[in-house]
Amino acid sequence: MLHTYSHWLYSILFSFCYRYYVISHPPPKVRTITIIILIIYIPSFVQFMIQNAAHEPEEAIRARVVQIFDYDISNECVTGHLNIIANWRILYAILHMSLPFIPVYTTILILRTSILKALQGAQAMSEKSRRLHSQLLKALTYQAFIPLFFSLALITYFLGQFSIINHPVLEYSSYIIVGFIPVLSPLTSFYFIRPYREWVDKNLIRSLSTAKTFPTSVMASSEVSQHF
């Protein structure tokens, strides 16, 4: 599961690159986009494969946790790694999830600025296309803030990993914070991209409103019938 978060960060970067490219070029073919997406996924897929082969005996992990933290884990499922430096598989996973964040996020912010300048300077673009690009850029901009949750999760992880602060709340918070990412990312698209928002409003919100008012109408009609 963890490899999907780093891949998500790459996907956000690719979204900005694509939006910047199509402002002044025709959209690439679907085959080209598919190949690029597969190439982008390679580092995350490598992490997924080697991390699955890096499990260590539960008994050894359990003994180390009790020895260092004195936690009562007699009825808990325990997993982990004894030495992330000696275990190159886990070291690769940690470095792959942490090191690319700053350069990727910096590139995203630079691309956002470049896209804004390109939209303002585009003369041959129709008003409809300009408005569509602006909507997509707004959605991408809010999505660009979501990686901040990833940075907070990294901070809480490293605080515990380097024994700066050790507390169960901190250990749980790394996974809780990073869990906001898959929740907020699609919501930004549903809200800021007009066709998505209209579909949600038509098929979900109005349907729920109709479902709530229907029983009330039936009850009111029933009461009137009983009265007469």
Side-chain angles (χ1 to χ4, degrees), residues 3 6 10 38-48 92 96:
H3 79 289
S6 54
Y10 298 147
L38 291 176
I39 293 175
I40 291 174
Y41 182 62
I42 289 176
S44 301
F45 180 73
V46 172
Q47 175 187 336
F48 172 73
Y92 170 81
H96 176 245

Side-chain angles (χ1 to χ4, degrees), residues 68-125:
I68 297 178
F69 304 109
D70 196 26
Y71 290 166
D72 182 11
I73 54 174
S74 55
N75 297 320
E76 305 292 339
C77 178
V78 179
T79 183
H81 306 90
L82 297 175
N83 191 332
I84 63 172
I85 303 299
N87 192 332
W88 66 270
R89 296 181 179 88
I90 296 303
L91 183 61
Y92 170 81
I94 293 174
L95 294 178
H96 176 245
M97 293 188 64
S98 57
L99 292 183
F101 175 79
I102 293 179
V104 169
Y105 194 59
T106 302
T107 306
I108 288 174
L109 296 179
I110 293 174
L111 283 172
R112 178 186 176 276
T113 303
S114 301
I115 293 172
L116 285 174
K117 291 181 179 179
L119 288 176
Q120 293 172 356
Q123 301 295 333
M125 186 180 298

Side-chain angles (χ1 to χ4, degrees), residues 157-216:
Y157 169 77
F158 282 113
L159 287 175
Q161 181 64 56
F162 292 104
S163 300
I164 300 174
I165 301 175
N166 290 116
H167 194 277
V169 174
L170 187 70
E171 295 162 7
Y172 280 112
S173 64
S174 298
Y175 291 95
I176 293 174
I177 292 173
V178 82
F180 282 99
I181 293 176
V183 175
L184 296 177
S185 183
L187 290 180
T188 56
S189 298
F190 284 140
Y191 183 79
F192 290 104
I193 299 179
R194 184 176 178 181
Y196 294 166
R197 185 172 66 250
E198 291 178 348
W199 186 92
V200 171
D201 181 64
K202 178 181 178 181
N203 295 279
L204 296 180
I205 298 178
R206 293 182 183 179
S207 298
L208 291 175
S209 300
T210 304
K212 289 181 179 180
T213 57
F214 178 73
T216 304

